[in-house]
Amino acid sequence: MSTIEEPDSAPPPTAARTGLPRVRPGDQTRLLTRLLLPAFAEGLIRRRPRAMAWAARVQADSDAVATVRDLRERYGPGPLQLSPAGRSVALVLDPDDLARMLRETPEPFTPGAWEKRRALDQFQPHGSLITRGPRREPRRRINELALEMDRPLHDLAPAITERVRAEASAVAGVATASGALSWDDFAAGWWRSVRRVVLGDAAADDAGLTDRLARLRSAGNWSFLLPRRRRAREDFLARLEERVRAAGDDTLAGRLPDTEEAAGQVPHWLFAYDAAGAATLRTLALLAGHPEHAARARTEAEEGDPAGPRTLPYLRACVLEALRLWPTTPVLLRESTEPTTWHGTVIPAGTVFAAFAPYFHRADPAGSYGDAFEPEIWLDGRAERNPALVPFSGGPGKCPGEDVVLLTASTWLAALLEGREYAVTSGVRPVAGEPVPATIDHFGLGFAVAAD
Ligand code: HEM
């Protein structure tokens, strides 16, 4: 890879007064303590198991959503102006405003906000998401092409299905024999499947590579405070580049063009597959708590030729629903590159626009399905018609990996469900007929497994 660009060491733009409704200091403190601090404690770039266990115990997202809902009721639809640590922040509360900020990406709303660049450049200095200016478009395009964005079955679906089924069946077999499945059991198989799908079978056992990435992601959690770990980053990127160079045509990395910087996109893929793993096990927990939905999912899993690639629409809808209820990107950020006008008010360049996804996905903008498990909304057009539901973001910055994620996750779930029943044995769990818990700790999930 070419020399590493340092995205930015300059300080972020500072707050300027706007004509937006200003959040009073007491309310700003409440947002800080009920939303921002818990999100930081849980780890925005790499979740921390102990903090996640605490967050699930106190149902931290319930407080955070209630705080945002209360601000919306008292101040109106916003955006609302905040100035934490001297930074100009506009809190977006209205689905149409959210849609605008996503639609008008990357200009005038760049996804490469200063905070995101500081965090992600710890391990993906060339990633499209944090690239600003003219270099963004070609990097974004490389991702869209290699991941075959918006195509439910990637050209590599047969190879992906085969690898995923092999790993998932091995995990399911051990779980059936022992009668139990934990996050750790699942995660070991998950990461083997990810390394095989992204980099090829030769990388199946290279846990050292993904462990190195995990350590750099932990550093990303502290992006404001910690210096860059340049040596560790160079080491990781060099090792990854070797793997990418050796990746065959039957792998996602093998679909990248043969340019010097293409490999610079792969750190994001490996990073983001972690969220997909969490979403997969959370979906299993939702199904375990909702027997009627589980029966429908199992019927789908057992239909057709399980060894061949399948679209598995119902299982995909269940994964999307898990991501609505527990979004893995809880805060969507954009930074304005020029002054923008909102409801007649000009907001200066350098303002961070922040949208808290759990509020949009669960509170009033979500409509009647708020806290319910209702995968049907992803099949009957309701979710598509609602601009508030953005688990994979939206507009020109939308996740180009969505279909590959849904293919991987639904294939995993089908293999786990075939001929087996699951019950959640750990503390916080979804139960049919009750509101789905606001926060779930995927590290702490445990299941009883029975074959039939
Ligand atoms: C559950 C799994 C995933 C979810 C929920 C998810 C969601 C998202 C979201 C919300 C964004 C926009 C972030 C922002 O605006 O700050 C994004 C960007 C992105 N995602 Fe995903 N993602 C997932 C997995 C993946 C995977 C596995 C890949 C690759 C194999 C991937 C590739 C990307 C890329 C390359 C971008 C940056 C796009 C750009 O620069 O415009 N994602 N994803």
Side-chain angles (χ1 to χ4, degrees):
M1 201 178 296
S2 57
T3 47
I4 292 174
E5 295 154 31
E6 294 300 342
D8 214 345
S9 48
T14 48
R17 214 179 166 80
T18 71
L20 294 176
R22 269 184 93 77
V23 174
R24 284 187 279 278
D27 287 327
Q28 186 162 300
T29 307
R30 274 201 317 144
L31 264 180
L32 195 73
T33 53
R34 297 191 183 175
L35 193 157
L36 210 56
L37 285 181
F40 261 102
E42 288 165 35
L44 281 167
I45 306 299
R46 185 184 180 206
R47 300 288 186 270
R48 301 182 176 99
R50 260 188 288 178
M52 283 303 299
W54 163 82
R57 225 172 17 251
V58 303
Q59 288 293 290
D61 285 87
S62 168
D63 253 7
V65 170
T67 304
V68 177
R69 177 185 266 154
D70 175 56
L71 291 183
R72 164 74 181 81
E73 275 165 16
R74 289 191 294 116
Y75 290 89
L80 307 182
Q81 194 188 352
L82 306 160
S83 38
R87 186 83 157 107
S88 177
V89 175
L91 182 67
V92 173
L93 297 171
D94 187 78
D96 289 337
D97 289 347
L98 170 65
R100 173 185 170 190
M101 114 185 180
L102 298 179
R103 194 174 57 241
E104 295 178 18
T105 293
E107 299 289 342
F109 302 112
T110 172
W114 183 85
E115 289 73 7
K116 218 186 284 176
R117 281 181 289 150
R118 286 290 293 174
L120 297 183
D121 91 312
Q122 289 277 16
F123 58 91
Q124 50 152 313
H126 302 101
S128 67
L129 191 58
I130 58 168
T131 305
R132 295 174 70 140
R135 300 184 84 159
R136 173 178 157 77
E137 187 46 38
R139 288 179 177 172
R140 161 91 200 173
R141 190 81 191 121
I142 289 175
N143 280 283
E144 289 179 358
L145 290 176
L147 300 171
E148 296 186 7
M149 184 178 178
D150 290 335
R151 218 181 136 199
L153 287 183
H154 194 285
D155 194 34
L156 293 179
I160 294 175
T161 303
E162 190 208 314
R163 288 169 170 147
V164 164
R165 281 190 66 81
E167 299 303 334
S169 303
V171 168
V174 173
T176 312
S178 68
L181 176 69
S182 70
W183 166 258
D184 287 343
D185 306 330
F186 166 80
W190 174 261
W191 280 113
R192 274 181 60 87
S193 73
V194 170
R195 289 187 295 264
R196 291 179 67 185
V197 164
V198 175
L199 298 168
D201 293 342
D205 293 320
D206 194 357
L209 180 74
T210 30
D211 290 349
R212 278 178 163 78
L213 172 61
R215 287 195 288 278
L216 289 166
R217 289 173 53 199
S218 293
N221 280 346
W222 294 108
S223 56
F224 308 105
L225 304 172
L226 289 187
R228 315 289 83 187
R229 298 197 172 169
R230 293 197 170 80
R231 282 274 295 277
R233 182 174 65 182
E234 271 163 34
D235 182 37
F236 163 69
L237 292 176
R239 196 166 160 153
L240 177 62
E241 198 182 341
E242 249 173 64
R243 287 279 179 208
V244 171
R245 236 186 279 121
D249 282 352
D250 60 344
T251 67
L252 291 178
R255 294 297 164 119
L256 285 164
D258 193 14
T259 59
E260 213 182 343
E261 62 174 32
Q265 308 311 310
V266 182
H268 186 97
W269 298 3
L270 294 175
F271 152 68
Y273 254 123
D274 189 20
T280 302
L281 207 65
R282 289 167 173 184
T283 306
L284 190 65
L286 282 165
L287 289 170
H290 295 83
E292 282 179 24
H293 297 79
R296 186 167 165 193
R298 253 190 74 174
T299 305
E300 184 177 83
E302 290 164 1
E303 267 168 11
D305 171 16
R310 294 179 292 169
T311 46
L312 301 166
Y314 189 69
L315 279 166
R316 283 179 187 230
C318 292
V319 176
L320 284 163
E321 187 64 346
L323 287 164
R324 175 181 74 81
L325 291 160
W326 301 304
T328 50
T329 309
V331 185
L332 289 166
L333 288 184
R334 294 288 183 268
E335 187 178 301
S336 55
T337 55
E338 58 189 64
T340 54
T341 304
W342 292 78
H343 311 293
T345 295
V346 177
I347 303 181
T351 296
V352 171
F353 289 80
F356 185 53
Y359 167 75
F360 284 99
H361 288 188
R362 290 242 193 182
D364 314 69
S368 59
Y369 36 87
D371 289 323
F373 175 51
E374 219 166 307
E376 291 73 17
I377 67 168
W378 298 97
L379 297 168
D380 62 16
R382 275 180 292 166
E384 209 176 325
R385 285 193 299 275
N386 188 347
L389 307 187
V390 285
F392 285 96
S393 183
K398 185 179 178 220
C399 176
E402 173 173 354
D403 280 297
V404 162
V405 167
L406 295 177
L407 171 65
T408 311
S410 61
T411 306
W412 254 92
L413 286 163
L416 292 176
L417 287 168
E418 275 167 40
R420 292 173 198 87
E421 289 198 346
Y422 293 79
V424 179
T425 49
S426 43
V428 175
R429 70 186 82 164
V431 176
E434 291 180 16
V436 173
T439 307
I440 191 101
D441 165 24
H442 56 278
F443 300 116
L445 278 176
F447 297 84
V449 187
D452 56 16

